[in-house]
Amino acid sequence: MRIVSLAGGIGGARFLRGLRAAAPSAEITVIGNTGDDITLFGLRVCPDLDTVMYTLGGGINEEQGWGREKETHVVKEELAAYGVEPQWFGLGDRDFATHIVRSQMLEAGFPLSQITEALCARWQPGVRLLPMSDDRCETHVVITDDRGRRAVHFQEWWVRLRASIPAESIALIGAETAKPAPGVLEAIEEADVVILPPSNPVVSIGTILQIPGIRDALLPKTVVGVSPIIGGAPVRGMADACLTAIGVETSAQAVLDLYGADLINGWLVAEEDAEVSLDGVVVQARPLLMHDPDSTRAIAEATLTLANSLNP
Ligand code: GDP
Ligand code: CA
């Protein structure tokens, strides 16, 4: 079986670990969000691709959900001693090495898709990990603070401000001219099943869907999604702040409506959201908390069972 899954960071990566366990013989292609990417200290950082790579490769800091295990922070401290900004983005020493390799390869002219493949040669994530695009596009957020109304990089709003200032709008800069990375449209075309994991519907999945050609390629496929919203709140993090910014309620129903019945064929919700419905979509209620490997695998199994039941 060929499976394509879109993915953001923590929610996507954890789900993918369950998916790999649920379908050990499947060929899984992951289309990763790169809207969170940022250049820091001259280095290109791809937080969501790295979260997927480290999680599936066994190098993730499990408690934190991102970054490397057994991490140290000497470089960060030394940069701070020079007064170099930003100091609000946590990069550990082991993680720095990944960004150095990536940046060196970018400088040498390699596209992000090939660099990601090279990094994955070390981590052996057991899936094919593709960036949504080789073209640089970054999510920016319009806020009003003591410096007035301005757009800041998504990471500044999310990490430095903890989404505490309302986002007036969210935009993926560069989306109009970005092309899907090599292999993305082909993988979708060949997929038996496409999965939208419980990733942020606005700044992870929504971002990937904005790359011209990707949403259209998904429309004829069997697409099953897992709600990241349970009982009116995100399970972890601040996805509600992103939904509010685009005028969407924080509910499993509203996220389904946002994706739309033209895209989604099956939708898994938590048991407390069992009343969710949309014409043309098969909705099933299941326990959706990814507590541990077993519960996560069960969610992935339910996703595949639903997808297979919808496949012609
Ligand atoms: P990020 O890039 O690290 O923010 O991660 P993602 O975009 O992949 O996922 C974030 C989303 O995952 C949040 O909206 C959470 O609500 C959702 N999420 C996290 N843990 C769980 C879980 O155990 N179950 C479900 N259903 N959603 C989860
Ligand atoms: Ca992210």
Side-chain angles (χ1 to χ4, degrees):
M1 181 167 48
R2 291 184 173 141
I3 304 172
V4 163
S5 179
L6 312 193
I10 301 176
R14 290 204 170 138
F15 175 85
L16 287 168
R17 203 156 49 178
L19 181 65
R20 200 182 48 184
S25 59
E27 214 175 274
I28 304 173
T29 301
V30 177
I31 302 172
N33 171 42
T34 56
D36 291 15
D37 293 7
I38 186 167
T39 299
L40 297 168
F41 317 113
L43 300 175
R44 193 67 180 156
V45 180
C46 301
D48 285 359
L49 291 181
D50 289 348
T51 296
V52 170
M53 183 173 79
Y54 296 153
T55 301
L56 294 180
I60 198 77
N61 177 325
E62 289 288 346
E63 296 82 70
Q64 207 169 244
W66 53 273
R68 292 288 310 280
E69 62 173 348
K70 302 194 190 96
E71 190 55 289
T72 53
H73 293 88
V74 177
V75 175
K76 187 177 194 292
E77 285 160 28
E78 289 294 314
L79 287 167
Y82 284 110
V84 175
E85 295 290 341
Q87 293 177 15
W88 45 262
F89 200 88
L91 289 178
D93 299 327
R94 292 174 191 276
D95 201 19
F96 259 113
T98 303
H99 312 315
I100 290 170
V101 174
R102 177 185 293 119
S103 304
Q104 199 174 21
M105 289 187 73
L106 280 170
E107 186 64 30
F110 288 95
L112 184 60
S113 49
Q114 283 182 30
I115 297 169
T116 305
E117 191 181 343
L119 294 170
C120 285
R122 170 182 176 193
W123 290 102
Q124 295 292 315
V127 301
R128 181 167 177 228
L129 177 60
L130 300 175
M132 64 188 192
S133 178
D134 278 337
D135 301 317
R136 182 168 162 171
C137 0
E138 292 178 2
T139 303
H140 279 66
V141 176
V142 175
I143 57 167
T144 301
D145 63 4
D146 49 11
R147 287 167 57 189
R149 186 164 187 270
R150 63 200 181 98
V152 297
H153 191 286
F154 170 73
Q155 297 294 358
E156 183 167 358
W157 180 62
W158 195 251
V159 178
R160 183 174 79 83
L161 299 170
R162 307 294 305 159
S164 59
I165 299 179
E168 292 164 35
S169 62
I170 299 180
L172 182 61
I173 311 296
E176 296 83 356
T177 53
K179 290 178 296 301
V184 165
L185 296 182
E186 294 80 353
I188 295 171
E189 167 100 18
E190 290 167 6
D192 300 304
V193 167
V194 175
I195 297 174
L196 308 189
S199 282
N200 189 307
V202 183
V203 295
S204 293
I205 303 295
T207 305
I208 301 169
L209 294 175
Q210 276 181 64
I211 300 301
I214 292 188
R215 195 177 207 282
D216 284 347
L218 293 174
L219 294 183
K221 310 304 292 190
T222 299
V223 180
V224 173
V226 180
S227 178
I229 306 296
I230 297 184
V235 179
R236 292 183 190 86
M238 308 163 289
D240 48 333
C242 303
L243 287 164
T244 304
I246 62 162
V248 172
E249 191 189 288
T250 300
S251 70
Q253 178 72 57
V255 174
L256 173 59
D257 294 340
L258 171 69
Y259 288 151
D262 55 343
L263 175 66
I264 299 268
N265 305 99
W267 185 236
L268 287 186
V269 297
E271 284 152 316
E272 49 266 64
D273 296 312
E275 78 292 348
V276 168
S277 73
L278 185 63
D279 270 0
V281 179
V282 176
V283 179
Q284 287 181 355
R286 291 279 180 282
L288 286 193
L289 282 177
M290 300 186 284
H291 291 297
D292 52 31
D294 284 346
S295 53
T296 309
R297 180 192 167 133
I299 298 168
E301 276 165 358
T303 310
L304 289 175
T305 304
L306 176 55
N308 287 328
S309 76
L310 297 171
N311 252 341

